[in-house]
């Protein structure tokens, strides 16, 4: 019985990870945005351009 | 003015994205922008790019997930009541790991990018701290190794774009003997306000490396023309820039009046270029530049053979 529970949990976990992997592109920042974020952070006090 | 030094500057390596300049120490987790040297914080030789770091973090999360799956499969095997159950748990476990590894492999660039985003968000303060450490270190070398200081400031200014770091670079460049073969980019060090050192630098660059004078440098001199004229040999500086500007029609069309004011200071070769450019196709948008050039031509070069060949005259 426990074996089937383990297999079930394993498959559920795999399912969750697969959905996450297949939708990852929606949660990925664009390189340009990272640059903007960094420039903003590094130039907070100054006059970043 | 202090005597200028002959120097050799390493070319600036431009990256596609600015964040690619950031390195992290795999030992102390501090950041630096200066490559090819040990970590400025702990001194160890373990710097890697933050992209590499993000990849490592993504690989680590894959490994953790795989381990969890193996653990679930092992539990299934351990509690199996028959060989069939044990075999089934093992088979499902192996298949799940295989499927997951394949999917992760195909999406790994996305996961690395996501880790990179999180890393930047999480470690922002540490990155800033690292940058200011780099900046301080660079300034300490000013007296003894000005070239090194300049090259470091140039790296740091990829991310730190303040007027201060620009002025420091301008001041250093003014102590070097600039040459044509040097890679000089004025764009990252342009200032908003008037700074005599920058005007001098632009004039010097116009003298040794005309193609490095682009729109922003010309515009700066146009905007601060009155201030430049008050400098020692300010008119010469402006004439140098005009000499560089006449290399492209776009600049001539953009600033015809400015060019007209300094056309008479141009050396013959630069004036000839301007004259030929205008005689090929004069345009009404050039205001009195055409008249001024014609007047100078009449005055000085009317009988000059170089001005007769190939040009129809204005
Ligand atoms: Zn370190």
């Amino acid at each position: 019985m426990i074996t089937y529970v383990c297999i079930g949990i394993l498959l559920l976990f795999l399912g969750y990870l697969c959905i996450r992997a297949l939708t990852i592109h929606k949660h990925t920042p664009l390189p340009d945005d990272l640059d903007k974020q960094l420039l903003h952070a590094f130039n907070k006090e100054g006059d970043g351009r | 003015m202090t005597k200028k030094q002959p120097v050799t500057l390493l070319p600036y390596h431009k990256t596609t994205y600015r964040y690619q300049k950031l390195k992290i120490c795999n030992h102390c987790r501090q950041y630096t922008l200066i490559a090819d040297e040990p970590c400025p914080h702990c001194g160890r030789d373990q710097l890697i790019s933050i992209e590499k770091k993000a990849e490592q973090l993504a690989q680590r999360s894959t490994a953790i997930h795989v381990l969890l799956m193996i653990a679930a499969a092992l539990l299934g095997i351990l509690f199996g009541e028959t060989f069939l159950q044990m075999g089934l748990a093992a088979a499902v476990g192996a298949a799940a790991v295989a499927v997951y590894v394949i999917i992760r492999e195909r999406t790994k660039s996305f996961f690395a990018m996501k880790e990179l985003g999180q890393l930047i968000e999480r470690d922002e303060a540490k990155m800033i701290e690292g940058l200011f450490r780099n900046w301080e270190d660079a300034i300490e070398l000013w007296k003894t190794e000005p070239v090194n200081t300049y090259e470091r400031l140039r790296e740091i200014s990829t991310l730190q774009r303040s007027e201060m770091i620009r002025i420091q670079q301008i001041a250093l460049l003014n102590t070097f003997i600039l040459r044509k073969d040097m890679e000089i980019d004025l764009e990252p060090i342009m200032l908003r306000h008037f700074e005599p050192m920058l005007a001098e630098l632009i004039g010097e660059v116009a003298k040794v490396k005309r193609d490095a004078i682009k729109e922003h440098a010309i515009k700066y001199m146009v905007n601060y023309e009155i201030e430049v004229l008050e400098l020692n040999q300010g008119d010469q500086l402006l004439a140098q820039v005009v000499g560089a500007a006449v290399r492209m029609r776009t600049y001539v069309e953009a600033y015809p009046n400015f060019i007209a004011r300094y056309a008479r200071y141009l050396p013959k070769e630069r004036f000839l270029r301007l004259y030929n450019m205008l005689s090929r196709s004069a345009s009404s948008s050039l205001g009195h530049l055409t008249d001024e050039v014609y007047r100078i031509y009449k005055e000085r070069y009317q009988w000059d053979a170089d001005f007769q060949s190939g040009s129809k005259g204005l």
Side-chain angles (χ1 to χ4, degrees), chain A residues 3 9-10 13 16 18 23 27 30 34 40-42 44 47:
Chain A
T3 303
I9 291 172
L10 176 55
F13 185 50
Y16 161 73
C18 285
T23 55
H27 309 285
L30 294 172
L34 291 183
H40 179 76
F42 282 115
K44 264 180 205 155
D47 48 358

Side-chain angles (χ1 to χ4, degrees), chain B residues 150-162:
Chain B
Y150 170 72
E151 284 166 355
R152 281 163 192 262
L153 292 177
R154 197 173 53 179
E155 293 296 318
I156 300 164
S157 62
T158 316
L159 284 163
Q160 164 60 245
R161 322 253 309 134
S162 66

Side-chain angles (χ1 to χ4, degrees), chain B residues 87-286:
Chain B
L88 191 66
V92 171
V97 168
V99 167
Y100 185 57
V101 168
I102 291 169
I103 291 180
R104 271 305 279 242
E105 189 58 31
R106 296 203 166 177
T107 51
K108 71 175 179 195
S109 60
F110 291 108
F111 277 101
M113 210 57 206
K114 190 182 168 207
E115 291 288 349
L116 186 60
Q118 287 172 342
L119 193 67
I120 288 175
E121 210 148 287
R122 200 168 54 223
D123 281 358
E124 195 186 280
K126 265 162 104 184
M127 290 175 181
I128 295 173
E129 199 184 300
L131 181 140
F132 280 95
R133 189 181 307 122
N134 288 155
W135 200 351
E136 276 171 25
D137 292 350
I139 298 301
E140 267 176 32
L141 296 169
W142 190 299
K143 285 264 147 57
T144 48
E145 299 171 54
V147 175
N148 197 339
T149 301
Y150 170 72
E151 284 166 355
R152 281 163 192 262
L153 292 177
R154 197 173 53 179
E155 293 296 318
I156 300 164
S157 62
T158 316
L159 284 163
Q160 164 60 245
R161 322 253 309 134
S162 66
E163 300 273 287
M164 178 54 90
I165 201 161
R166 290 166 196 241
I167 293 174
Q168 288 171 343
Q169 288 174 83
I170 295 164
L172 280 166
L173 280 172
N174 272 335
T175 66
F176 302 154
I177 296 174
L178 303 180
R179 292 187 317 269
K180 198 178 173 55
D181 61 309
M182 276 179 185
E183 194 188 288
I184 307 165
D185 188 5
L186 290 172
E187 202 274 325
I189 50 172
M190 292 311 290
L191 301 172
R192 279 188 212 149
H193 63 273
F194 177 66
E195 168 56 59
M197 284 193 297
L198 178 55
E200 265 167 44
L201 179 64
I202 294 174
E204 183 64 23
V205 172
K207 209 188 315 179
V208 298
K209 194 178 162 102
R210 264 180 226 134
D211 16 315
I213 299 295
K214 303 208 173 87
E215 171 87 29
H216 43 77
I218 301 170
K219 204 168 162 203
Y220 187 82
M221 296 301 253
V222 172
N223 287 348
Y224 296 107
E225 190 182 345
I226 298 168
E227 287 86 346
V228 176
L229 281 174
E230 282 169 9
L231 299 178
N232 180 27
Q233 295 194 316
D235 51 352
Q236 288 307 311
L237 292 179
L238 292 161
Q240 293 288 3
V241 174
V242 168
V246 298
R247 98 184 175 277
M248 278 171 82
R249 195 172 177 93
T250 351
Y251 301 147
V252 176
E253 281 172 357
Y255 306 103
N257 296 329
F258 174 67
I259 290 172
R261 283 196 287 283
Y262 300 94
R264 59 178 52 257
Y265 297 106
L266 290 179
K268 181 179 151 189
E269 170 257 340
R270 298 320 285 164
F271 183 78
L272 177 60
R273 193 183 165 85
L274 177 62
Y275 178 82
N276 283 339
M277 188 186 285
L278 297 186
S279 54
R280 243 175 277 129
S281 60
S283 148
S284 56
S285 65
L286 294 178

Side-chain angles (χ1 to χ4, degrees), chain B residues 31 34 61 266 293:
Chain B
Y31 292 84
I34 312 297
S61 83
L266 290 179
V293 167

